[in-house]
Amino acid sequence: TGCKNYAVIKGKQNIGGIIGYGAAGEVSLCENHGSINSSSWLCGGVVGYLNGGSISKSLKTGAITGSHVVGGITGRHTGAGAIDQCYNIGNIVGSYTVGGIAGDSAGSPKNISNCFNTGEIKATSSTGGGLAAGIISSSASAADSNAPHTYANCYNVGNVIMVIGDVTLLYPVYAGYKDTGAVPVIENCYYLGTAVSGVTGGVAKTSSELSSESILSEWNSEIWEMSTVNGYSYPILKNLQFYLTAPNN
C-alpha cells in the first residue's frame, strides 16, 4: 500500500512498476511514474502478473514497451479479484494482447471498474490475433456461462492502434474474447470519437459528451468528478491525484 516508483525498470518476464508477480493480495494507492522495458511477456505498469488478488486506487504515468500480454496497470490478471479506480496515461507498445488497463484476464469471475486510459495503445504484430484495446485486450472466463467477467464504468480517450497485415483495426475499449467461457458483460463504458464499425463493447462519445456532468449520473459520484485540470476536461477519480503528464521525482 502507498508505494511509488520513479525509476526506469528493465527486465524480461513478470515485470511490474511496483510488483513483478503478485498472488492473493491487495495492491492499493500505488503509483508508477517510471518507464518499463520488457524483452518478453507479462508486463504491467503496477503489477506484471496478478495471480489472485486486487488492485485499487493505483496509477501509471510512464511509458511501457514489452512483447505480449502488456497492460497499463497489469499485464495479466488471473484468479479471483478486481481492478478498481485505476488509470493509465502512459503510452504502451507491445507485439500483441496490449491493454490500457490490463493485457488480459482469465479464470474466475472478476471485474474491472471505474478505470480510464489516456495513453496510446499499440500492438505491432498480428501474432495471436494482434489485439490492442483501451481498457482490456483479451478475456477468458471460467467455463460457467453464468459467471462472466464484468467491465463497467470505464472510458478510453487514448489512440488504439492494432495492425493486421495492411489493415488497421480499432478497439477503443475491448478487443475480443477467447473461445472459452462466457462473453464479458460491458456496462457504461465509453470511448472518445465516432462509432467504430464492428467494435466490441463500449459506446462512442464526442468530446463535449464525455466532458458533460450528465455522464457522471451513470457512474458513482463518490468515485468520479469532472476534471478542473487545465488541458483535461474529462472525468477523473476523486480518490487519486490526477497527473496530466509524468511527474519528476
Side-chain angles (χ1 to χ4, degrees):
T1 299
C3 297
K4 294 184 180 182
N5 172 64
Y6 293 86
V8 175
I9 298 174
K10 296 181 179 181
K12 187 176 181 181
Q13 182 176 323
N14 292 337
I15 306 300
I18 303 298
I19 298 171
Y21 176 88
E26 181 176 353
V27 178
S28 181
L29 298 171
C30 290
E31 302 180 7
N32 175 38
H33 303 293
S35 62
I36 298 176
N37 192 323
S38 169
S39 61
S40 186
W41 69 319
L42 299 175
C43 177
V46 177
V47 180
Y49 181 2
L50 183 67
N51 184 12
S54 300
I55 305 175
S56 64
K57 300 175 184 176
S58 296
L59 63 95
K60 181 193 74 70
T61 64
I64 295 179
T65 301
S67 176
H68 57 292
V69 192
V70 182
I73 300 301
T74 185
R76 171 167 286 174
H77 186 199
T78 60
I83 299 173
D84 182 56
Q85 298 181 61
C86 295
Y87 74 88
N88 168 64
I89 69 167
N91 295 340
I92 305 174
V93 178
S95 56
Y96 60 95
T97 313
V98 185
I101 299 300
D104 75 10
S105 64
S108 304
K110 57 181 58 66
N111 299 328
I112 295 178
S113 57
N114 302 306
C115 294
F116 68 96
N117 171 69
T118 72
E120 180 177 273
I121 310 302
K122 184 175 183 179
T124 60
S125 170
S126 61
T127 302
L131 298 186
I135 301 300
I136 181 164
S137 177
S138 178
S139 171
S141 70
D144 184 357
S145 62
N146 295 318
H149 296 179
T150 300
Y151 310 129
N153 304 341
C154 297
Y155 76 92
N156 172 59
V157 298
N159 291 327
V160 178
I161 304 169
M162 174 176 131
V163 179
I164 302 296
D166 296 326
V167 179
T168 298
L169 304 175
L170 301 178
Y171 293 96
V173 172
Y174 170 62
Y177 65 97
K178 297 178 182 178
D179 58 357
T180 59
V183 178
V185 175
I186 301 176
E187 301 174 337
N188 298 331
C189 289
Y190 305 111
Y191 60 92
L192 179 64
T194 56
V196 178
S197 177
V199 71
T200 307
V203 176
K205 295 286 185 181
T206 65
S207 181
S208 60
E209 287 174 331
L210 203 54
S211 302
S212 171
E213 292 280 351
S214 62
I215 199 168
L216 298 183
S217 65
E218 302 177 19
W219 296 344
N220 188 334
S221 61
E222 294 183 0
I223 293 175
W224 293 94
E225 63 184 355
M226 297 308 299
S227 170
T228 58
V229 176
N230 186 32
Y232 196 83
S233 60
Y234 306 124
I236 59 175
L237 297 164
K238 284 185 175 181
N239 297 313
L240 282 176
Q241 181 174 347
F242 177 68
Y243 298 92
L244 189 59
T245 59
N248 295 320
N249 187 358

